[in-house]
Amino acid sequence: MKKSLFFLLMLLTSFLSFAQNTEDEEKDKGFKRDQLFIGTGVNLGFFNGFIVGLNPEIGYSLNRFVDVGIGTNVNLITQNDPNSPTTYRQWTFGGGPFVRVWPVNMLFIGGQFEYNSIAYSVKSGGDIVYKENRNAPSILVGAGYGNRTIGGNQFYTSIMVDVLRNPNSPYIDSYRRLQPVFRTTFLFYFKPKRER
């Protein structure tokens, strides 16, 4: 676990160092409003139940390779017990920083740390038999495919998993199995049309 976190941090540091070196070579330096973006994604997952949610985010394109920002989430997750009439349900609210690296034009790898607040309940035979509130950190890593035009718009679809595997994570089922998270996101840059 500690080795995975260390490796992830070293990988992110390497990418950001590469991004900084590339940015230093560019003529224009400093904050550029047309590199700031905002948007939202849809979070979907299907297994013995489902995941559905929204993932608003705001970020900044450091250069042509790296995006960083803050992402948030609101998710409803349900899981049906195949051996009884029991349904596990959780509402999740959370967020945290992300980084996406675009090594080639339409593909990226990325990671996001999230801290989630979870309202968990168990329903059996039509009655709620258990309720509790939980908190859990997650580290989502994965890859995606998309279209990214700095100063214009951005669209991507990604698949990620929670490598932290906290038992309370919204991305781990009641049997402690990883559940892949699929997101489709639409983002728009702040640059006004008159400046394009």
Side-chain angles (χ1 to χ4, degrees):
M1 169 74 141
K2 289 181 182 179
K3 289 180 182 179
S4 297
L5 287 174
F6 178 75
F7 176 74
L8 179 64
L9 289 173
M10 291 303 293
L11 183 64
L12 291 175
T13 301
S14 298
F15 283 131
L16 291 175
S17 174
F18 172 74
Q20 185 63 42
N21 289 340
T22 302
E23 191 172 43
D24 288 342
E25 295 171 4
E26 295 177 3
K27 288 187 265 182
D28 299 326
K29 294 182 181 176
F31 178 80
K32 297 180 187 172
R33 186 172 39 140
D34 63 336
Q35 291 177 220
L36 187 65
F37 58 82
I38 191 168
T40 191
V42 177
N43 182 14
L44 295 172
F46 299 97
F47 50 101
N48 192 22
F50 65 89
I51 298 173
V52 63
L54 292 176
N55 303 97
E57 66 181 53
I58 185 166
Y60 189 78
S61 294
L62 295 176
N63 56 40
R64 61 185 178 152
F65 299 108
V66 181
D67 292 338
V68 295
I70 301 290
T72 60
N73 70 67
V74 176
N75 294 302
L76 170 61
I77 303 165
T78 68
Q79 182 181 6
N80 300 317
D81 188 330
N83 302 315
S84 70
T86 303
T87 301
Y88 306 94
R89 174 178 288 174
Q90 56 188 359
W91 280 97
T92 304
F93 306 92
F98 68 81
V99 63
R100 285 190 290 271
V101 179
W102 298 77
V104 295
N105 192 25
M106 294 185 293
L107 299 174
F108 71 87
I109 56 174
Q112 178 172 354
F113 173 79
E114 286 185 353
Y115 191 79
N116 294 294
S117 178
I118 303 157
Y120 178 78
S121 65
V122 179
K123 191 174 186 179
S124 184
D127 297 321
I128 295 175
V129 295
Y130 183 75
K131 284 176 109 174
E132 83 171 323
N133 292 324
R134 301 175 174 177
N135 295 306
S138 298
I139 296 177
L140 300 174
V141 296
Y145 171 83
N147 181 15
R148 177 176 175 259
T149 305
I150 295 176
N153 55 46
Q154 193 178 136
F155 162 82
Y156 68 83
T157 298
S158 66
I159 181 171
M160 296 183 288
V161 293
D162 182 0
V163 296
L164 198 54
R165 298 182 75 136
N166 183 298
N168 290 332
S169 169
Y171 310 113
I172 303 293
D173 71 9
S174 60
Y175 301 105
R176 302 191 77 177
R177 296 177 297 202
L178 286 173
Q179 299 300 317
V181 178
F182 299 94
R183 290 183 178 168
T184 299
T185 302
F186 301 91
L187 303 166
F188 303 93
Y189 285 85
F190 276 92
K191 185 174 182 181
K193 289 183 180 180
R194 66 180 179 273
E195 293 182 15
R196 290 184 187 175

mmCIF file of all heavy atoms in Angstrom, residues 59-98:
data_model
loop_
_atom_site.group_PDB
_atom_site.id
_atom_site.type_symbol
_atom_site.label_atom_id
_atom_site.label_comp_id
_atom_site.label_asym_id
_atom_site.label_seq_id
_atom_site.Cartn_x
_atom_site.Cartn_y
_atom_site.Cartn_z
ATOM 1 N N GLY A 59 -10.525 23.431 -13.415
ATOM 2 C CA GLY A 59 -9.117 23.117 -13.553
ATOM 3 C C GLY A 59 -8.384 24.094 -14.440
ATOM 4 O O GLY A 59 -8.949 25.069 -14.951
ATOM 5 N N TYR A 60 -7.118 23.790 -14.637
ATOM 6 C CA TYR A 60 -6.236 24.651 -15.406
ATOM 7 C C TYR A 60 -5.310 23.772 -16.235
ATOM 8 O O TYR A 60 -4.738 22.805 -15.721
ATOM 9 C CB TYR A 60 -5.415 25.536 -14.453
ATOM 10 C CG TYR A 60 -4.623 26.605 -15.146
ATOM 11 C CD1 TYR A 60 -5.239 27.769 -15.598
ATOM 12 C CD2 TYR A 60 -3.257 26.465 -15.348
ATOM 13 C CE1 TYR A 60 -4.505 28.766 -16.223
ATOM 14 C CE2 TYR A 60 -2.517 27.449 -15.980
ATOM 15 C CZ TYR A 60 -3.148 28.598 -16.414
ATOM 16 O OH TYR A 60 -2.435 29.584 -17.045
ATOM 17 N N SER A 61 -5.152 24.102 -17.505
ATOM 18 C CA SER A 61 -4.219 23.400 -18.379
ATOM 19 C C SER A 61 -2.854 24.063 -18.227
ATOM 20 O O SER A 61 -2.653 25.194 -18.689
ATOM 21 C CB SER A 61 -4.691 23.457 -19.835
ATOM 22 O OG SER A 61 -5.889 22.749 -19.993
ATOM 23 N N LEU A 62 -1.934 23.386 -17.559
ATOM 24 C CA LEU A 62 -0.606 23.947 -17.341
ATOM 25 C C LEU A 62 0.141 24.146 -18.657
ATOM 26 O O LEU A 62 0.880 25.113 -18.819
ATOM 27 C CB LEU A 62 0.220 23.035 -16.432
ATOM 28 C CG LEU A 62 -0.287 22.882 -15.003
ATOM 29 C CD1 LEU A 62 0.567 21.869 -14.247
ATOM 30 C CD2 LEU A 62 -0.289 24.228 -14.288
ATOM 31 N N ASN A 63 -0.058 23.208 -19.564
ATOM 32 C CA ASN A 63 0.558 23.259 -20.894
ATOM 33 C C ASN A 63 -0.186 22.280 -21.791
ATOM 34 O O ASN A 63 -1.264 21.822 -21.422
ATOM 35 C CB ASN A 63 2.066 22.950 -20.803
ATOM 36 C CG ASN A 63 2.331 21.618 -20.141
ATOM 37 O OD1 ASN A 63 1.632 20.641 -20.368
ATOM 38 N ND2 ASN A 63 3.335 21.585 -19.276
ATOM 39 N N ARG A 64 0.392 21.916 -22.902
ATOM 40 C CA ARG A 64 -0.329 21.029 -23.832
ATOM 41 C C ARG A 64 -0.392 19.586 -23.357
ATOM 42 O O ARG A 64 -1.065 18.761 -23.964
ATOM 43 C CB ARG A 64 0.287 21.104 -25.222
ATOM 44 C CG ARG A 64 1.715 20.673 -25.278
ATOM 45 C CD ARG A 64 2.289 20.885 -26.654
ATOM 46 N NE ARG A 64 3.692 20.506 -26.646
ATOM 47 C CZ ARG A 64 4.337 20.077 -27.682
ATOM 48 N NH1 ARG A 64 3.724 19.971 -28.839
ATOM 49 N NH2 ARG A 64 5.604 19.748 -27.602
ATOM 50 N N PHE A 65 0.284 19.249 -22.244
ATOM 51 C CA PHE A 65 0.292 17.882 -21.747
ATOM 52 C C PHE A 65 -0.446 17.664 -20.432
ATOM 53 O O PHE A 65 -0.902 16.560 -20.165
ATOM 54 C CB PHE A 65 1.746 17.405 -21.535
ATOM 55 C CG PHE A 65 2.563 17.392 -22.781
ATOM 56 C CD1 PHE A 65 3.559 18.332 -22.969
ATOM 57 C CD2 PHE A 65 2.341 16.453 -23.769
ATOM 58 C CE1 PHE A 65 4.319 18.338 -24.122
ATOM 59 C CE2 PHE A 65 3.093 16.443 -24.929
ATOM 60 C CZ PHE A 65 4.087 17.391 -25.109
ATOM 61 N N VAL A 66 -0.536 18.668 -19.565
ATOM 62 C CA VAL A 66 -0.977 18.440 -18.189
ATOM 63 C C VAL A 66 -2.138 19.360 -17.805
ATOM 64 O O VAL A 66 -2.075 20.569 -18.009
ATOM 65 C CB VAL A 66 0.189 18.659 -17.190
ATOM 66 C CG1 VAL A 66 -0.274 18.407 -15.761
ATOM 67 C CG2 VAL A 66 1.363 17.765 -17.524
ATOM 68 N N ASP A 67 -3.185 18.753 -17.200
ATOM 69 C CA ASP A 67 -4.297 19.478 -16.587
ATOM 70 C C ASP A 67 -4.290 19.171 -15.092
ATOM 71 O O ASP A 67 -4.067 18.022 -14.693
ATOM 72 C CB ASP A 67 -5.648 19.019 -17.143
ATOM 73 C CG ASP A 67 -5.869 19.394 -18.594
ATOM 74 O OD1 ASP A 67 -5.214 20.331 -19.076
ATOM 75 O OD2 ASP A 67 -6.701 18.730 -19.238
ATOM 76 N N VAL A 68 -4.552 20.186 -14.272
ATOM 77 C CA VAL A 68 -4.691 20.006 -12.830
ATOM 78 C C VAL A 68 -5.951 20.741 -12.387
ATOM 79 O O VAL A 68 -6.419 21.651 -13.064
ATOM 80 C CB VAL A 68 -3.463 20.531 -12.042
ATOM 81 C CG1 VAL A 68 -2.221 19.731 -12.381
ATOM 82 C CG2 VAL A 68 -3.242 22.003 -12.291
ATOM 83 N N GLY A 69 -6.495 20.345 -11.244
ATOM 84 C CA GLY A 69 -7.677 21.040 -10.757
ATOM 85 C C GLY A 69 -8.290 20.369 -9.546
ATOM 86 O O GLY A 69 -7.676 19.521 -8.895
ATOM 87 N N ILE A 70 -9.533 20.760 -9.280
ATOM 88 C CA ILE A 70 -10.315 20.221 -8.165
ATOM 89 C C ILE A 70 -11.598 19.625 -8.747
ATOM 90 O O ILE A 70 -12.315 20.280 -9.502
ATOM 91 C CB ILE A 70 -10.700 21.333 -7.159
ATOM 92 C CG1 ILE A 70 -9.462 22.025 -6.600
ATOM 93 C CG2 ILE A 70 -11.585 20.770 -6.047
ATOM 94 C CD1 ILE A 70 -8.642 21.186 -5.665
ATOM 95 N N GLY A 71 -11.856 18.385 -8.382
ATOM 96 C CA GLY A 71 -13.081 17.723 -8.802
ATOM 97 C C GLY A 71 -13.946 17.416 -7.595
ATOM 98 O O GLY A 71 -13.442 17.178 -6.490
ATOM 99 N N THR A 72 -15.259 17.448 -7.776
ATOM 100 C CA THR A 72 -16.199 17.102 -6.718
ATOM 101 C C THR A 72 -17.111 15.986 -7.215
ATOM 102 O O THR A 72 -17.108 15.660 -8.405
ATOM 103 C CB THR A 72 -17.050 18.318 -6.304
ATOM 104 O OG1 THR A 72 -17.773 18.779 -7.449
ATOM 105 C CG2 THR A 72 -16.179 19.434 -5.762
ATOM 106 N N ASN A 73 -17.868 15.392 -6.310
ATOM 107 C CA ASN A 73 -18.781 14.338 -6.744
ATOM 108 C C ASN A 73 -20.006 14.251 -5.855
ATOM 109 O O ASN A 73 -19.941 14.573 -4.668
ATOM 110 C CB ASN A 73 -18.057 12.985 -6.793
ATOM 111 C CG ASN A 73 -17.717 12.449 -5.426
ATOM 112 O OD1 ASN A 73 -18.606 12.096 -4.660
ATOM 113 N ND2 ASN A 73 -16.437 12.383 -5.099
ATOM 114 N N VAL A 74 -21.083 13.836 -6.469
ATOM 115 C CA VAL A 74 -22.327 13.468 -5.789
ATOM 116 C C VAL A 74 -22.770 12.177 -6.459
ATOM 117 O O VAL A 74 -23.017 12.159 -7.665
ATOM 118 C CB VAL A 74 -23.419 14.544 -5.948
ATOM 119 C CG1 VAL A 74 -24.714 14.084 -5.311
ATOM 120 C CG2 VAL A 74 -22.971 15.867 -5.380
ATOM 121 N N ASN A 75 -22.826 11.086 -5.691
ATOM 122 C CA ASN A 75 -23.131 9.779 -6.266
ATOM 123 C C ASN A 75 -24.190 9.041 -5.455
ATOM 124 O O ASN A 75 -24.210 9.138 -4.231
ATOM 125 C CB ASN A 75 -21.873 8.891 -6.285
ATOM 126 C CG ASN A 75 -20.816 9.427 -7.211
ATOM 127 O OD1 ASN A 75 -21.047 9.607 -8.384
ATOM 128 N ND2 ASN A 75 -19.635 9.693 -6.669
ATOM 129 N N LEU A 76 -24.997 8.278 -6.160
ATOM 130 C CA LEU A 76 -25.900 7.317 -5.538
ATOM 131 C C LEU A 76 -25.422 5.938 -5.970
ATOM 132 O O LEU A 76 -25.287 5.673 -7.168
ATOM 133 C CB LEU A 76 -27.346 7.537 -5.981
ATOM 134 C CG LEU A 76 -28.333 6.441 -5.570
ATOM 135 C CD1 LEU A 76 -28.411 6.311 -4.045
ATOM 136 C CD2 LEU A 76 -29.697 6.678 -6.174
ATOM 137 N N ILE A 77 -25.148 5.079 -4.990
ATOM 138 C CA ILE A 77 -24.629 3.747 -5.271
ATOM 139 C C ILE A 77 -25.529 2.731 -4.588
ATOM 140 O O ILE A 77 -25.818 2.853 -3.398
ATOM 141 C CB ILE A 77 -23.179 3.598 -4.753
ATOM 142 C CG1 ILE A 77 -22.296 4.681 -5.382
ATOM 143 C CG2 ILE A 77 -22.642 2.204 -5.044
ATOM 144 C CD1 ILE A 77 -20.973 4.866 -4.709
ATOM 145 N N THR A 78 -25.974 1.736 -5.346
ATOM 146 C CA THR A 78 -26.776 0.659 -4.765
ATOM 147 C C THR A 78 -26.148 -0.681 -5.132
ATOM 148 O O THR A 78 -25.493 -0.819 -6.162
ATOM 149 C CB THR A 78 -28.236 0.671 -5.257
ATOM 150 O OG1 THR A 78 -28.268 0.340 -6.637
ATOM 151 C CG2 THR A 78 -28.894 2.000 -5.008
ATOM 152 N N GLN A 79 -26.360 -1.657 -4.264
ATOM 153 C CA GLN A 79 -25.926 -3.022 -4.542
ATOM 154 C C GLN A 79 -26.967 -3.975 -3.985
ATOM 155 O O GLN A 79 -27.375 -3.850 -2.831
ATOM 156 C CB GLN A 79 -24.561 -3.307 -3.917
ATOM 157 C CG GLN A 79 -24.073 -4.698 -4.248
ATOM 158 C CD GLN A 79 -22.727 -5.004 -3.610
ATOM 159 O OE1 GLN A 79 -22.201 -4.214 -2.833
ATOM 160 N NE2 GLN A 79 -22.172 -6.148 -3.931
ATOM 161 N N ASN A 80 -27.385 -4.914 -4.812
ATOM 162 C CA ASN A 80 -28.364 -5.914 -4.398
ATOM 163 C C ASN A 80 -27.648 -7.175 -3.943
ATOM 164 O O ASN A 80 -26.707 -7.630 -4.597
ATOM 165 C CB ASN A 80 -29.302 -6.256 -5.559
ATOM 166 C CG ASN A 80 -30.054 -5.041 -6.037
ATOM 167 O OD1 ASN A 80 -30.536 -4.245 -5.242
ATOM 168 N ND2 ASN A 80 -30.147 -4.871 -7.347
ATOM 169 N N ASP A 81 -28.080 -7.743 -2.832
ATOM 170 C CA ASP A 81 -27.521 -9.006 -2.347
ATOM 171 C C ASP A 81 -28.139 -10.130 -3.166
ATOM 172 O O ASP A 81 -29.366 -10.286 -3.166
ATOM 173 C CB ASP A 81 -27.834 -9.173 -0.858
ATOM 174 C CG ASP A 81 -27.118 -10.357 -0.241
ATOM 175 O OD1 ASP A 81 -26.865 -11.357 -0.953
ATOM 176 O OD2 ASP A 81 -26.811 -10.289 0.957
ATOM 177 N N PRO A 82 -27.327 -10.931 -3.850
ATOM 178 C CA PRO A 82 -27.897 -11.992 -4.688
ATOM 179 C C PRO A 82 -28.533 -13.133 -3.900
ATOM 180 O O PRO A 82 -29.290 -13.923 -4.446
ATOM 181 C CB PRO A 82 -26.693 -12.496 -5.492
ATOM 182 C CG PRO A 82 -25.501 -12.117 -4.696
ATOM 183 C CD PRO A 82 -25.870 -10.885 -3.930
ATOM 184 N N ASN A 83 -28.254 -13.217 -2.581
ATOM 185 C CA ASN A 83 -28.759 -14.330 -1.769
ATOM 186 C C ASN A 83 -29.905 -13.956 -0.844
ATOM 187 O O ASN A 83 -30.372 -14.801 -0.076
ATOM 188 C CB ASN A 83 -27.606 -14.909 -0.936
ATOM 189 C CG ASN A 83 -26.470 -15.389 -1.817
ATOM 190 O OD1 ASN A 83 -26.688 -16.045 -2.825
ATOM 191 N ND2 ASN A 83 -25.249 -15.016 -1.451
ATOM 192 N N SER A 84 -30.351 -12.686 -0.881
ATOM 193 C CA SER A 84 -31.453 -12.273 -0.013
ATOM 194 C C SER A 84 -32.110 -11.021 -0.606
ATOM 195 O O SER A 84 -31.550 -10.402 -1.501
ATOM 196 C CB SER A 84 -30.936 -11.980 1.405
ATOM 197 O OG SER A 84 -30.155 -10.804 1.408
ATOM 198 N N PRO A 85 -33.273 -10.620 -0.078
ATOM 199 C CA PRO A 85 -33.933 -9.408 -0.588
ATOM 200 C C PRO A 85 -33.367 -8.135 0.060
ATOM 201 O O PRO A 85 -34.104 -7.268 0.499
ATOM 202 C CB PRO A 85 -35.395 -9.637 -0.214
ATOM 203 C CG PRO A 85 -35.327 -10.429 1.045
ATOM 204 C CD PRO A 85 -34.118 -11.325 0.892
ATOM 205 N N THR A 86 -32.036 -8.052 0.125
ATOM 206 C CA THR A 86 -31.369 -6.938 0.786
ATOM 207 C C THR A 86 -30.715 -6.031 -0.241
ATOM 208 O O THR A 86 -30.093 -6.509 -1.194
ATOM 209 C CB THR A 86 -30.303 -7.455 1.774
ATOM 210 O OG1 THR A 86 -30.937 -8.323 2.714
ATOM 211 C CG2 THR A 86 -29.615 -6.320 2.496
ATOM 212 N N THR A 87 -30.857 -4.726 -0.026
ATOM 213 C CA THR A 87 -30.226 -3.732 -0.888
ATOM 214 C C THR A 87 -29.372 -2.811 -0.025
ATOM 215 O O THR A 87 -29.829 -2.317 1.008
ATOM 216 C CB THR A 87 -31.289 -2.884 -1.629
ATOM 217 O OG1 THR A 87 -32.101 -3.761 -2.408
ATOM 218 C CG2 THR A 87 -30.641 -1.861 -2.537
ATOM 219 N N TYR A 88 -28.132 -2.608 -0.452
ATOM 220 C CA TYR A 88 -27.213 -1.688 0.215
ATOM 221 C C TYR A 88 -27.205 -0.400 -0.596
ATOM 222 O O TYR A 88 -27.050 -0.424 -1.824
ATOM 223 C CB TYR A 88 -25.805 -2.281 0.274
ATOM 224 C CG TYR A 88 -25.775 -3.652 0.899
ATOM 225 C CD1 TYR A 88 -25.840 -4.802 0.117
ATOM 226 C CD2 TYR A 88 -25.700 -3.800 2.280
ATOM 227 C CE1 TYR A 88 -25.826 -6.060 0.686
ATOM 228 C CE2 TYR A 88 -25.689 -5.059 2.864
ATOM 229 C CZ TYR A 88 -25.755 -6.187 2.067
ATOM 230 O OH TYR A 88 -25.749 -7.427 2.638
ATOM 231 N N ARG A 89 -27.368 0.740 0.074
ATOM 232 C CA ARG A 89 -27.446 2.022 -0.634
ATOM 233 C C ARG A 89 -26.563 3.038 0.066
ATOM 234 O O ARG A 89 -26.492 3.077 1.287
ATOM 235 C CB ARG A 89 -28.883 2.514 -0.651
ATOM 236 C CG ARG A 89 -29.032 3.907 -1.248
ATOM 237 C CD ARG A 89 -30.463 4.344 -1.300
ATOM 238 N NE ARG A 89 -31.114 3.574 -2.347
ATOM 239 C CZ ARG A 89 -32.411 3.621 -2.596
ATOM 240 N NH1 ARG A 89 -33.201 4.357 -1.860
ATOM 241 N NH2 ARG A 89 -32.923 2.909 -3.558
ATOM 242 N N GLN A 90 -25.902 3.874 -0.750
ATOM 243 C CA GLN A 90 -25.120 4.967 -0.175
ATOM 244 C C GLN A 90 -25.149 6.201 -1.066
ATOM 245 O O GLN A 90 -25.056 6.095 -2.273
ATOM 246 C CB GLN A 90 -23.682 4.542 0.115
ATOM 247 C CG GLN A 90 -22.908 4.001 -1.039
ATOM 248 C CD GLN A 90 -21.571 3.433 -0.585
ATOM 249 O OE1 GLN A 90 -21.217 3.466 0.576
ATOM 250 N NE2 GLN A 90 -20.819 2.903 -1.524
ATOM 251 N N TRP A 91 -25.319 7.341 -0.401
ATOM 252 C CA TRP A 91 -25.173 8.641 -1.036
ATOM 253 C C TRP A 91 -23.768 9.122 -0.687
ATOM 254 O O TRP A 91 -23.379 9.107 0.475
ATOM 255 C CB TRP A 91 -26.193 9.634 -0.505
ATOM 256 C CG TRP A 91 -27.542 9.488 -1.121
ATOM 257 C CD1 TRP A 91 -28.607 8.810 -0.612
ATOM 258 C CD2 TRP A 91 -27.969 10.040 -2.360
ATOM 259 N NE1 TRP A 91 -29.677 8.906 -1.462
ATOM 260 C CE2 TRP A 91 -29.298 9.660 -2.558
ATOM 261 C CE3 TRP A 91 -27.346 10.818 -3.346
ATOM 262 C CZ2 TRP A 91 -30.033 10.015 -3.676
ATOM 263 C CZ3 TRP A 91 -28.064 11.182 -4.460
ATOM 264 C CH2 TRP A 91 -29.397 10.791 -4.616
ATOM 265 N N THR A 92 -23.024 9.552 -1.683
ATOM 266 C CA THR A 92 -21.644 9.975 -1.468
ATOM 267 C C THR A 92 -21.467 11.416 -1.917
ATOM 268 O O THR A 92 -21.883 11.782 -3.022
ATOM 269 C CB THR A 92 -20.688 9.071 -2.276
ATOM 270 O OG1 THR A 92 -20.917 7.720 -1.906
ATOM 271 C CG2 THR A 92 -19.254 9.426 -2.026
ATOM 272 N N PHE A 93 -20.820 12.215 -1.073
ATOM 273 C CA PHE A 93 -20.482 13.602 -1.384
ATOM 274 C C PHE A 93 -18.995 13.768 -1.094
ATOM 275 O O PHE A 93 -18.547 13.414 -0.005
ATOM 276 C CB PHE A 93 -21.283 14.570 -0.515
ATOM 277 C CG PHE A 93 -22.763 14.349 -0.590
ATOM 278 C CD1 PHE A 93 -23.396 13.509 0.324
ATOM 279 C CD2 PHE A 93 -23.520 14.960 -1.571
ATOM 280 C CE1 PHE A 93 -24.763 13.282 0.250
ATOM 281 C CE2 PHE A 93 -24.889 14.743 -1.644
ATOM 282 C CZ PHE A 93 -25.510 13.909 -0.738
ATOM 283 N N GLY A 94 -18.248 14.290 -2.058
ATOM 284 C CA GLY A 94 -16.815 14.432 -1.812
ATOM 285 C C GLY A 94 -16.115 15.226 -2.889
ATOM 286 O O GLY A 94 -16.739 15.826 -3.761
ATOM 287 N N GLY A 95 -14.795 15.206 -2.818
ATOM 288 C CA GLY A 95 -13.994 15.896 -3.812
ATOM 289 C C GLY A 95 -12.534 15.922 -3.438
ATOM 290 O O GLY A 95 -12.144 15.456 -2.365
ATOM 291 N N GLY A 96 -11.730 16.460 -4.362
ATOM 292 C CA GLY A 96 -10.302 16.571 -4.130
ATOM 293 C C GLY A 96 -9.559 16.929 -5.404
ATOM 294 O O GLY A 96 -10.157 17.085 -6.470
ATOM 295 N N PRO A 97 -8.225 17.052 -5.320
ATOM 296 C CA PRO A 97 -7.416 17.458 -6.471
ATOM 297 C C PRO A 97 -7.229 16.332 -7.487
ATOM 298 O O PRO A 97 -7.263 15.158 -7.132
ATOM 299 C CB PRO A 97 -6.080 17.847 -5.831
ATOM 300 C CG PRO A 97 -6.013 17.010 -4.601
ATOM 301 C CD PRO A 97 -7.424 16.892 -4.103
ATOM 302 N N PHE A 98 -7.029 16.726 -8.740
ATOM 303 C CA PHE A 98 -6.760 15.745 -9.792
ATOM 304 C C PHE A 98 -5.620 16.230 -10.678
ATOM 305 O O PHE A 98 -5.285 17.411 -10.721
ATOM 306 C CB PHE A 98 -8.008 15.471 -10.648
ATOM 307 C CG PHE A 98 -8.446 16.632 -11.498
ATOM 308 C CD1 PHE A 98 -7.840 16.911 -12.719
ATOM 309 C CD2 PHE A 98 -9.484 17.449 -11.083
ATOM 310 C CE1 PHE A 98 -8.252 17.985 -13.498
ATOM 311 C CE2 PHE A 98 -9.912 18.525 -11.853
ATOM 312 C CZ PHE A 98 -9.293 18.794 -13.067
#
